[in-house]
């Protein structure tokens, strides 16, 4: 039978990365969990679960469209893909706002259930957890933050490098060493300190994700940056029996201890670590890491329990070169500026010792660390009435030599089960700290907000929760792709331009492949819709679906034709 084309219209609608993100969201069970924990009234046309899922989908497909959900839903033909959604207009600001209000108090429980499902479904290894914080910055019109909302994270002033005054919240996250997946996070007030949150956040994660049912706590090692291993935090980790590794600021007593260890004959031992970015370099061009370690004993002041803690001094040749160059450059600038000021002494307003000293501080020293090597003196010569003042300076070369011996040296501390690791493994484990940055890939931007559905700090915190669900989905997609490629040792052919295909494509590139994938739907003259026709997958798209074991779009979004 031949249809007359002038009686029908063919409408193209974007499907895009929904082909990838939808199966992962279904496996995590976001919509089902939200509907169960945040039920709506019997008269409601649509549950909060599908609205929450669509906000996440919007964030993954078009991050900037989150302010106009109705337009996004129409362009992505959400009515056809989600039978719960009767029409695009139902996804308005009021409905989104009610959903954000509803899920606020249940965020931790929802997240805990999803992480449990992700761990079982995708066999996520949680024995290594990387902790860090990052600011989430907002610019725009902000609602009044009621003082009565105690415990609700508050937007507080911040400053970004572009020079715009903004309001910010702070995001704490735990990421797995296995793929850098965000398996726990919390939103904190913008001005809250970092260090006091590490242990309480881990305890909250353990409770809501029922971590003890997945693996023994003794097998877990938490890794962080300099903000994590404070004395209080280390003692708390030791009491919990959880391992930890992190760098700590080198104090004078640490330097003295290192010098004593070296005097006792405990020399630097080369550690066999090669950074991924240097894997293709020649051996002589790679950074050399050396270590000197020893074990100290911590005593619990409450019960006199003793805990071994490993101190590992690391020396990096690349870091040593950078620090030596930085010191030399700063000294060169300082010395040149002092010599310039010497030529101005007794001229213009350089006619008092106080003014001269102030100019040296302001023009030469500034905030340069190398200023500590210089000593200046302003001498007065009564026998020289025309040029009574003289600026002199000396350089402490002995101190420079002493500091140069510690160029490139930093201190790692490890407690609990982590003390059983050898020095090479300690460095290897800590070098994976960059993985936590993957958690922040969808939050590392300036969010522009208005007083629409983000009317309260609670709603903003709920929106961040959904953004982090998107980060979890993105991380899982990237992890599963890279694991499959590593297993078969063959890249996705045609994914990268100019034949630069490799075994570790990013999720950004993977989602871009599906950015323009679409479907065509038929609209008859009476306004009714007929069968949908999904576009044919190209070779790269088909490879990705095959690697992930995902169904074709027509099967994924199968539903009866709309009469």
């Amino acid at each position: 039978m031949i249809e007359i084309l002038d009686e029908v219209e063919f409408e193209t609608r974007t499907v895009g990365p929904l082909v990838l993100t939808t199966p992962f969201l279904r496996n995590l069970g976001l919509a089902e969990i939200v509907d169960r924990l945040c039920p709506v009234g019997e008269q409601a046309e649509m549950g909060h679960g599908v609205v929450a899922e669509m906000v996440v989908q919007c964030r993954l497909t078009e991050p900037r469209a989150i302010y106009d959900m109705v337009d996004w839903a129409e362009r992505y033909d959400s009515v056809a893909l989600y039978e719960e959604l009767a029409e695009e207009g139902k996804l308005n600001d009021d409905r989104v706002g009610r959903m954000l209000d509803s899920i606020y108090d249940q965020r931790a429980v929802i997240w805990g259930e999803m992480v449990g499902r992700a761990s079982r479904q995708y066999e996520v290894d949680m024995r290594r957890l990387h902790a860090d914080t990052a600011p989430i910055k907002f610019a725009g019109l902000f609602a009044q933050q009621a003082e009565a909302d105690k415990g609700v994270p508050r937007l507080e002033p911040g400053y970004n490098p572009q020079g715009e005054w903004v309001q910010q919240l702070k995001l704490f996250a735990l990421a797995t060493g296995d793929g850098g997946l965000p398996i726990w996070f919390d939103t904190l007030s913008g001005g809250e300190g970092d260090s006091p949150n590490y242990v309480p956040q881990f305890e909250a994660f353990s409770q809501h994700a029922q971590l003890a049912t997945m693996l023994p706590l003794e097998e877990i090692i938490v890794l962080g940056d300099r903000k994590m291993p404070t004395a209080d935090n280390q003692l708390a980790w030791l009491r919990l029996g959880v391992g930890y590794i992190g760098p700590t600021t080198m104090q004078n007593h640490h330097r003295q201890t290192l010098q004593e260890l070296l005097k006792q004959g405990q020399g630097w031992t080369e550690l066999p670590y090669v950074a991924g970015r240097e894997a293709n370099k020649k051996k002589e061009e790679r950074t050399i890491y050396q270590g000197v370690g020893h074990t100290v004993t911590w005593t619990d002041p409450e019960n006199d329990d003793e805990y071994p803690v490993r101190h590992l001094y690391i020396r990096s040749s690349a870091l040593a070169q950078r620090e030596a160059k930085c010191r030399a450059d700063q000294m060169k600038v300082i010395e040149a500026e002092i010599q310039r000021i010497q030529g101005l002494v007794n001229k213009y307003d350089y006619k008092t010792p106080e003014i001269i000293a102030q100019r040296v501080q302001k023009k030469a020293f500034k905030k340069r660390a190398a200023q500590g090597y210089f000593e200046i003196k302003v001498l007065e010569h009564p026998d020289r009435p025309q040029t009574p003042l003289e600026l002199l300076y000396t350089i402490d070369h002995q101190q420079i030599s002493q500091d140069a011996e510690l160029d490139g040296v930093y201190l790692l501390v490890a407690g609990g089960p982590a003390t059983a690791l050898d020095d090479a493994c300690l460095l290897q484990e800590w070098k994976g700290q960059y993985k936590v940055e993957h958690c922040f890939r969808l939050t590392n931007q300036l969010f522009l907000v208005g007083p629409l559905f983000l009317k309260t700090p609670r709603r903003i915190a709920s929106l961040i929760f959904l953004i982090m669900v998107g980060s979890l989905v993105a991380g899982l997609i990237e992890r599963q792709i890279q694991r499959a490629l590593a297993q078969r040792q063959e890249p996705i052919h045609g994914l990268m331009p100019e034949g630069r295909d490799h075994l570790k494509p990013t999720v950004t590139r993977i989602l871009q492949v599906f950015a323009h994938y679409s479907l065509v739907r038929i609209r008859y003259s009476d306004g009714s819709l007929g069968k949908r026709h999904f576009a044919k997958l190209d070779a790269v798209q088909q490879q990705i679906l095959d690697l992930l074991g995902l169904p074709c779009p027509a099967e994924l979004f199968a539903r009866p034709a709309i009469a």
Side-chain angles (χ1 to χ4, degrees):
M1 179 178 178
I2 301 177
E3 293 184 293
I4 302 175
L5 294 181
D6 59 3
E7 293 185 0
V8 299
E9 294 181 2
F10 295 94
E11 300 176 348
T12 301
R13 291 290 184 270
T14 303
V15 178
L18 300 182
V19 174
L20 298 180
T21 58
T22 301
F24 282 85
L25 279 168
R26 289 178 179 176
N27 286 339
L28 294 177
L30 173 64
E32 179 265 314
I33 297 171
V34 169
D35 283 336
R36 173 163 43 83
L37 296 176
C38 310
V40 296
E42 295 182 358
Q43 73 280 8
E45 300 176 354
M46 181 168 47
H48 293 312
V50 67
V51 180
E53 181 171 317
M54 296 190 72
V55 171
V56 176
Q57 297 277 40
C58 177
R59 182 65 189 165
L60 286 168
T61 54
E62 292 187 13
R64 297 184 180 181
I66 205 163
Y67 65 89
D68 190 352
M69 293 292 297
V70 174
D71 177 68
W72 173 86
E74 181 177 357
R75 286 184 290 107
Y76 278 77
D77 198 18
S78 298
V79 172
L81 301 179
Y82 286 86
E83 63 181 325
E84 300 94 333
L85 187 64
E87 58 182 83
E88 291 87 351
K90 297 292 185 182
L91 203 63
N92 53 46
D93 290 339
D94 289 338
R95 192 178 297 276
V96 174
R98 289 194 297 271
M99 177 273 297
L100 295 175
D101 286 334
S102 179
I103 68 173
Y104 177 81
D105 291 326
Q106 299 292 338
R107 291 171 301 150
V109 181
I110 297 170
W111 185 269
E113 285 200 33
M114 285 195 303
V115 166
R117 294 190 183 195
S119 175
R120 293 185 294 270
Q121 180 80 18
Y122 300 103
E123 299 179 346
V124 179
D125 184 355
M126 296 189 184
R127 289 177 296 174
R128 300 294 182 265
L129 302 179
H130 298 266
D132 202 1
T133 60
I136 307 178
K137 300 184 178 182
F138 296 84
L141 299 174
F142 303 99
Q144 294 296 321
Q145 302 181 74
E147 294 293 337
D149 286 342
K150 293 183 178 180
V152 178
R154 296 175 58 84
L155 287 162
E156 295 176 340
Y159 188 76
N160 71 15
Q162 289 73 32
E164 299 175 79
W165 284 96
V166 300
Q167 299 272 22
Q168 71 177 29
L169 294 171
K170 187 166 289 186
L171 184 69
F172 177 93
L174 289 171
T176 61
D178 178 11
L181 303 175
I183 45 84
W184 178 257
F185 82 98
D186 196 11
T187 308
L188 311 173
S189 294
E192 192 162 340
D194 296 345
S195 297
N197 284 292
Y198 283 86
V199 176
Q201 290 295 334
F202 175 82
E203 291 176 329
F205 165 60
S206 299
Q207 174 188 348
H208 290 290
Q210 298 182 347
L211 189 58
T213 65
M214 302 180 192
L215 73 166
L217 293 182
E218 295 77 20
E219 295 185 10
I220 296 174
I221 296 179
V222 181
L223 302 101
D225 58 14
R226 294 182 186 275
K227 301 184 292 293
M228 188 192 78
T230 63
D232 289 341
N233 283 347
Q234 289 192 64
L235 187 55
W237 294 126
L238 293 170
R239 288 170 176 169
L240 287 172
V242 174
Y244 64 88
I245 303 173
T248 188
T249 302
M250 290 264 291
Q251 305 292 339
N252 286 333
H253 68 275
H254 293 134
R255 297 184 178 91
Q256 293 172 3
T257 299
L258 175 58
Q259 291 171 352
E260 291 174 2
L261 291 173
L262 295 174
K263 288 180 181 179
Q264 294 170 4
Q266 189 173 345
W268 292 99
T269 302
E270 185 169 344
L271 303 176
Y273 172 77
V274 179
R277 64 179 179 276
E278 295 185 332
N280 296 325
K281 290 184 178 181
K282 297 179 181 179
K283 184 177 181 179
E284 58 271 16
E285 297 175 351
R286 296 173 180 171
T287 301
I288 298 174
Y289 294 92
Q290 296 173 306
V292 172
H294 71 122
T295 301
V296 300
T297 301
W298 276 53
T299 302
D300 192 329
E302 293 185 1
N303 52 28
D304 293 330
D305 286 347
E306 294 185 343
Y307 305 100
V309 175
R310 185 73 173 165
H311 283 196
L312 176 62
Y313 296 90
I314 302 291
R315 183 166 66 183
S316 161
S317 61
L319 181 58
Q321 292 173 7
R322 288 197 299 271
E323 291 180 351
K325 182 178 184 302
C326 179
R327 179 173 54 247
D329 291 344
Q330 287 188 9
M331 291 189 64
K332 183 178 180 180
V333 172
I334 291 173
E335 189 168 15
E337 189 62 27
I338 291 177
Q339 292 173 355
R340 184 187 72 83
I341 294 174
Q342 283 179 321
L344 297 175
V345 173
N346 298 308
K347 300 177 182 178
Y348 309 109
D349 59 345
Y350 291 78
K351 295 182 178 180
T352 66
E354 294 77 16
I355 290 293
I356 294 171
Q358 288 175 8
R359 295 298 167 81
V360 172
Q361 289 289 341
K362 182 178 180 181
K363 299 293 185 180
F365 290 167
K366 294 185 177 180
K367 295 182 179 180
R368 298 184 176 105
Q371 64 176 290
Y373 303 122
F374 290 82
E375 182 180 355
I376 64 168
K377 294 181 180 179
V378 180
L379 302 182
E380 298 186 51
H381 300 281
D383 57 331
R384 292 164 29 183
Q386 298 299 321
T387 58
L389 300 179
E390 182 182 12
L391 173 63
L392 300 177
Y393 71 93
T394 58
I395 300 175
D396 190 345
H397 293 285
Q398 182 179 357
Q399 187 62 50
I400 293 174
S401 298
Q402 291 178 0
D403 291 349
E405 294 178 358
L406 296 180
D407 280 348
V409 177
Y410 55 92
L411 174 60
L412 291 181
V413 296
T419 58
L421 300 175
D422 60 36
D423 293 348
C425 288
L426 280 179
L427 177 63
Q428 181 81 31
E429 294 285 0
W430 183 72
K431 281 294 186 177
Q433 178 64 9
Y434 72 91
K435 296 177 182 178
V436 72
E437 298 298 330
H438 287 200
C439 296
F440 305 132
R441 75 184 91 192
L442 294 184
T443 65
N444 189 21
Q445 69 176 76
L446 183 63
F447 290 92
L448 303 177
V449 300
L452 297 175
F453 58 82
L454 296 179
K455 292 181 179 179
T456 66
R458 285 174 171 259
R459 291 188 177 185
I460 293 178
S462 295
L463 178 61
I464 293 173
F465 166 80
L466 296 177
I467 290 173
M468 290 304 294
V469 173
S471 294
L472 177 59
V473 171
L476 284 169
I477 292 173
E478 182 175 286
R479 172 184 179 269
Q480 295 303 105
I481 286 284
Q482 292 184 3
R483 289 185 71 184
L485 293 177
Q487 185 175 1
R488 76 175 192 178
Q489 285 298 301
E490 183 180 350
I492 300 173
H493 299 291
L495 178 64
M496 304 299 293
E498 301 175 355
R500 292 185 282 109
D501 300 323
H502 53 84
L503 299 180
K504 292 187 176 182
T506 65
V507 69
T508 302
R509 181 57 185 163
I510 294 167
L511 296 180
Q512 285 176 350
V513 171
F514 289 86
H516 302 294
Y517 185 75
S518 59
L519 62 81
V520 176
R521 64 182 187 181
I522 300 174
R523 184 179 296 276
Y524 295 101
S525 57
D526 61 358
S528 62
L529 293 175
K531 186 178 180 181
R532 297 169 300 157
H533 297 270
F534 287 87
K536 182 181 178 181
L537 296 167
D538 64 29
V540 177
Q541 293 168 343
Q542 188 63 60
Q543 288 180 75
I544 293 173
L545 291 188
D546 290 344
L547 277 172
L548 294 173
L550 299 181
C552 66
E555 181 182 347
L556 175 65
F557 297 108
R559 58 176 290 192
I562 303 175

